[in-house]
Amino acid sequence: MALTTSLAGRVRNTSLPKSHSLLPLLEAIVNGLQAIDARFGTNTGQGRLRITIERSGQEEVDFGHSGPGRAALKPIVGFAVEDNGVGFTPDNMDSFETLDSDYKAGMGCRGVGRLLWLKAFERISIRSAYKNEGGDLCTRQFRFSVDREVEHIEPPGGFSDTGTVVHLDGFRNSFQRNAPKSVEAIAREVFEHCIWYFLRPGGAPEVVVVDEEVVSLNKLMEDFVFSGLPTSTIAVKGRKFEMVNLCLKSSTRNPMPRLLWCAASRVVVEENLTGKIPGLYGRLKDDAATEFTYVCYLSSDYLDRHVRADRTAFDIDERVVGTTLNDDISLEDIRSAVLQEVERLLSDPLAAARDEGKARVNEFVSKRAPRYRPVLSRLESLGVTVDPSIKDPDLELLLHRNLQKLEAEAIAEGQAVFAEAGSTPLEDYQERLNRYLDAVKDINQSDLAAYVSRRRVILDILFKIIRANEQGRYSREDAIHSLIMPMRTDSGEIGTDASNLWIIDERLAFHDYLASDKTLKSMPITGSESTREPDLLSTRLVDTPVLTAEGEALPLPSIVVVEIKRPMRNDASEDRDPILQSLDYVKRVRSGGVLTASGRPIPASQDSPAFCYVLADLTPTLVSRCEYANLRRTHDGLGYFGFNEPAKAYIEVMSFDRLINSATERNRAFFDKLGLPSS
């Protein structure tokens, strides 16, 4: 029983991704190039192929692809592809009317191009002239559609030579919207898809794309290619692959190094090679410092045999796990061999690019990220290379990811080292232990550098927010408050690194209980019913480091109160005296103390030491309050200090300039060690 084939079913089951919207046009163009080859052989210079873009006459426009000073492009409705090749001979016509024909199988053709036409276009019409066996010129004309299949109509006139005109009409919206719009973009896609015809010995016929202007693909070849590298032949598990290596000019719009997988003289898959070889990022430079982009066109009989029918991918596994009886080739096997050859071909430019990348990292680490300096040599040993043009945020992320990788490796190595203690010869064990300890030392130094760098950034931010903006206004006190300590939080809600009390005094980093902008009533250490809110309130166990006490040990805690005022605020008075406010908070804590933060009872604390810090600019009203409190001026004139005997409290009033100067001086040695600015 004979089997029948449904054309509509075949078209419906034919895959055409929207990202390959021009593939039907490209198939028609390749057919034309093959017809020219069939007529002229190696004399391809006599061939002519013309692609005409047909646009809608309606006012509907596409604003996305019009450039400055250019009219918006009207939607594309079809294409006409005209060649002076051998024409639709009887053999060609028989092949066209036979689905899955083997007529041009030797050229890698699968007989699916015309199915792709019907997938993307509503109507196809073909006019052609050919010579019969007697040498007479004959013509034929037919329409091709899903509904009527091949419909022959009256043979056309007007042909004086052999050739074919394929008219693809009714570009379906779903594909038209995803296709390039401008003649330049279409010409470039045609060129890159058919570049083999331009690279082969003898070159290509004359090919032009016509819209309101004419773009010559032969001229594009001259503008496109900077120079050619030697063609390479590589072997992968006994099968040969040809590599056509090109250096494209720096003016090329796409600067990415690429591997183009080809089959049947067509580009099937384009792969970005960026970063797949150390130093291969974007453009490279030759010996004369001229920039170029590397592109490789890969072809093989093996690829021809394994290309999918729709020519958008290959029926080859990405990788083959384990050993197989057929010793199958994977895409990974092929790619690995290609990259190895590329690294050999471009050894000098790649070495120069790696040196530039190394210099870029060193500059960034020296000026912006000194935390990575202790581990920089270890990152290099991991093969970390960067694009010299990489932006600072991207470089920071790259270095951070690799630092995390080093830390993970160090943890795993440490576990392995200590697990082997006593079971490995002492000499071998000691050597491995030393390597592990060296890695830990470098990582710890990196952590310390990050901590110091963070301090430098915090001081820079504080320096900016205490100054007036362009309108002459100062930041509110809550901006400074939040920088020193997150507002409306306490020790149980934030991590140990969340506050920056070190700006005021390094000793404040060690506290038993710390609260920020919370009412006295809400603090477990006071037992007070007051709803007043000190800016910062801290307790510390006397002579007992918090890291060991963890809030459980007594005797009495010390009390620290910090009051923060808006820069240049000049409203201190008897009713709004920050010094008296601080002393009042101390009194309330002493008189109302009930429990520690961990729930332990606090004994009578009337004699517990107290420290009051007022952060504010020395405006006239604040100076008056400092003199009233009998405080002494600091030697630099930027603050006041003294001891209030009745309250048993040390008081220090610091201007914001003194605050920054003091914090900078305390950290100067660390900043200098890392090469950070200390002023």
Side-chain angles (χ1 to χ4, degrees), residues 606-624:
Q606 295 300 322
D607 295 327
S608 58
F611 302 86
C612 299
Y613 295 92
V614 176
L615 309 182
D617 283 316
L618 299 184
T619 58
T621 57
L622 184 59
V623 169
S624 176

Side-chain angles (χ1 to χ4, degrees), residues 169-185:
D169 189 24
F171 204 4
R172 301 184 192 277
N173 286 335
S174 59
F175 295 101
Q176 184 266 128
R177 286 195 299 266
N178 289 277
K181 305 297 188 293
S182 68
V183 63
E184 295 90 350

Side-chain angles (χ1 to χ4, degrees), residues 402-414:
N402 282 279
L403 176 58
Q404 288 182 313
K405 183 178 179 181
L406 279 177
E407 291 174 338
E409 290 179 351
I411 292 173
E413 178 68 10

Side-chain angles (χ1 to χ4, degrees), residues 350-641:
L350 288 174
R354 287 193 288 267
D355 289 342
E356 283 190 47
K358 184 177 180 180
R360 171 75 175 90
V361 172
N362 287 333
E363 179 187 27
F364 175 75
V365 170
S366 297
K367 296 182 178 180
R368 301 293 301 276
R371 71 164 300 187
Y372 299 105
R373 187 177 297 155
V375 296
L376 202 54
S377 61
R378 295 185 181 276
L379 293 177
E380 292 173 1
S381 68
L382 290 177
V384 177
T385 61
V386 303
D387 182 351
S389 63
I390 190 172
K391 296 180 180 179
D392 284 356
D394 295 330
L395 181 53
E396 174 79 31
L397 289 174
L398 175 66
L399 294 175
H400 183 68
R401 283 196 301 269
N402 282 279
L403 176 58
Q404 288 182 313
K405 183 178 179 181
L406 279 177
E407 291 174 338
E409 290 179 351
I411 292 173
E413 178 68 10
Q415 293 173 339
V417 167
F418 294 118
E420 293 178 4
S423 62
T424 304
L426 182 60
E427 183 176 334
D428 296 340
Y429 179 77
Q430 187 64 44
E431 182 180 350
R432 188 173 181 184
L433 177 62
N434 289 339
R435 287 199 304 269
Y436 164 70
L437 294 177
D438 284 343
V440 171
K441 180 189 70 174
D442 290 343
I443 292 172
N444 288 342
Q445 288 178 351
S446 173
D447 292 339
L448 176 59
Y451 181 73
V452 174
S453 298
R454 180 178 178 275
R455 286 194 168 196
R456 177 68 269 175
V457 171
I458 294 297
L459 290 177
D460 288 343
I461 295 173
L462 181 59
F463 181 84
K464 292 177 181 177
I465 63 177
I466 65 172
R467 277 154 176 75
N469 60 21
E470 294 178 355
Q471 290 75 39
R473 297 178 180 176
Y474 291 91
S475 300
R476 292 173 54 86
E477 54 263 42
D478 54 6
I480 302 170
H481 188 145
S482 296
L483 184 67
I484 295 176
M485 168 74 180
M487 297 179 67
R488 298 174 183 84
T489 57
D490 61 31
S491 302
E493 300 170 352
I494 62 172
T496 56
D497 294 333
S499 68
N500 292 302
L501 288 169
W502 57 268
I503 298 176
I504 303 171
D505 190 325
E506 295 290 346
R507 291 169 295 181
L508 296 182
F510 300 97
H511 58 269
D512 169 47
Y513 178 81
L514 175 66
S516 171
D517 202 42
K518 301 188 76 170
T519 63
L520 291 172
K521 183 178 179 179
S522 68
M523 299 180 191
I525 65 168
T526 66
S528 172
E529 293 299 317
S530 173
T531 57
R532 300 183 67 178
E533 300 177 348
D535 284 339
L536 292 169
L537 177 64
S538 173
T539 66
R540 183 182 176 212
L541 301 178
V542 177
D543 296 328
T544 309
V546 70
L547 294 179
T548 58
E550 295 183 353
E552 295 295 336
L554 294 168
L556 305 179
S558 64
I559 302 169
V560 179
V561 177
V562 180
E563 277 290 299
I564 304 171
K565 298 303 175 185
R566 185 173 187 169
M568 298 307 295
R569 187 166 183 169
N570 190 28
D571 63 352
S573 62
E574 185 175 350
D575 294 333
R576 306 183 67 176
D577 186 340
I579 300 172
L580 292 179
Q581 287 176 347
S582 299
L583 294 174
D584 183 57
Y585 292 139
V586 171
K587 180 180 178 180
R588 290 174 183 273
V589 171
R590 284 173 172 162
S591 63
V594 179
L595 300 174
T596 65
S598 59
R600 299 301 301 161
I602 298 178
S605 56
Q606 295 300 322
D607 295 327
S608 58
F611 302 86
C612 299
Y613 295 92
V614 176
L615 309 182
D617 283 316
L618 299 184
T619 58
T621 57
L622 184 59
V623 169
S624 176
R625 301 314 302 172
C626 290
E627 292 174 348
Y628 180 81
N630 200 29
L631 301 180
R632 299 179 61 181
R633 193 137 191 165
T634 58
H635 71 281
D636 57 11
L638 297 177
Y640 285 84
F641 70 97

Side-chain angles (χ1 to χ4, degrees), residues 148-181:
R148 296 179 177 269
E149 300 188 359
V150 178
E151 182 182 8
H152 290 273
I153 55 180
E154 187 69 22
F159 277 98
S160 60
D161 199 0
T162 62
T164 300
V165 180
V166 176
H167 188 201
L168 308 175
D169 189 24
F171 204 4
R172 301 184 192 277
N173 286 335
S174 59
F175 295 101
Q176 184 266 128
R177 286 195 299 266
N178 289 277
K181 305 297 188 293

Side-chain angles (χ1 to χ4, degrees), residues 49-258:
L49 191 142
R50 178 185 180 94
I51 304 126
T52 303
I53 300 172
E54 299 176 346
R55 297 186 184 273
S56 171
Q58 300 177 2
E59 292 303 316
E60 180 185 355
V61 293
D62 181 343
F63 293 98
H65 292 265
S66 57
R70 295 184 56 173
L73 298 173
K74 295 180 179 180
I76 297 172
V77 295
F79 300 91
V81 180
E82 181 179 358
D83 68 73
N84 65 340
V86 70
F88 260 80
T89 64
D91 287 341
N92 285 334
M93 193 69 231
D94 288 342
S95 175
F96 187 91
E97 293 179 318
T98 304
L99 292 179
D100 300 316
S101 169
D102 292 332
Y103 180 59
K104 292 194 292 182
M107 302 169 65
C109 300
R110 297 297 182 88
V112 297
R114 56 196 179 281
L115 300 179
L116 297 177
W117 293 351
L118 296 178
K119 193 79 174 179
F121 295 89
E122 296 175 358
R123 298 170 298 277
I124 315 296
S125 61
I126 297 174
R127 297 185 299 116
S128 182
Y130 63 95
K131 289 185 177 180
N132 61 20
E133 294 180 355
D136 298 325
L137 190 66
C138 303
T139 62
R140 71 170 80 243
Q141 183 173 211
F142 60 94
R143 289 191 289 261
F144 183 48
S145 65
V146 172
D147 295 335
R148 296 179 177 269
E149 300 188 359
V150 178
E151 182 182 8
H152 290 273
I153 55 180
E154 187 69 22
F159 277 98
S160 60
D161 199 0
T162 62
T164 300
V165 180
V166 176
H167 188 201
L168 308 175
D169 189 24
F171 204 4
R172 301 184 192 277
N173 286 335
S174 59
F175 295 101
Q176 184 266 128
R177 286 195 299 266
N178 289 277
K181 305 297 188 293
S182 68
V183 63
E184 295 90 350
I186 292 173
R188 183 170 295 277
E189 186 157 335
V190 171
F191 173 74
E192 293 195 9
H193 185 82
C194 304
I195 195 170
W196 168 252
Y197 290 93
F198 295 87
L199 298 176
R200 65 183 178 176
E206 179 184 307
V207 182
V208 296
V209 181
V210 181
D211 195 10
E212 292 182 353
E213 57 184 302
V214 178
V215 177
S216 168
L217 267 63
N218 306 74
K219 180 64 167 60
L220 200 62
M221 179 70 177
E222 299 173 10
D223 297 336
F224 194 65
V225 178
F226 168 61
S227 67
L229 293 167
T231 299
S232 305
T233 300
I234 58 174
V236 181
K237 295 183 178 179
R239 298 176 177 88
K240 291 185 178 181
F241 294 81
E242 298 292 329
M243 294 170 55
V244 175
N245 306 289
L246 294 181
C247 300
L248 307 185
K249 294 182 179 179
S250 60
S251 58
T252 302
R253 294 180 185 177
N254 185 353
M256 296 186 307
R258 284 160 286 159

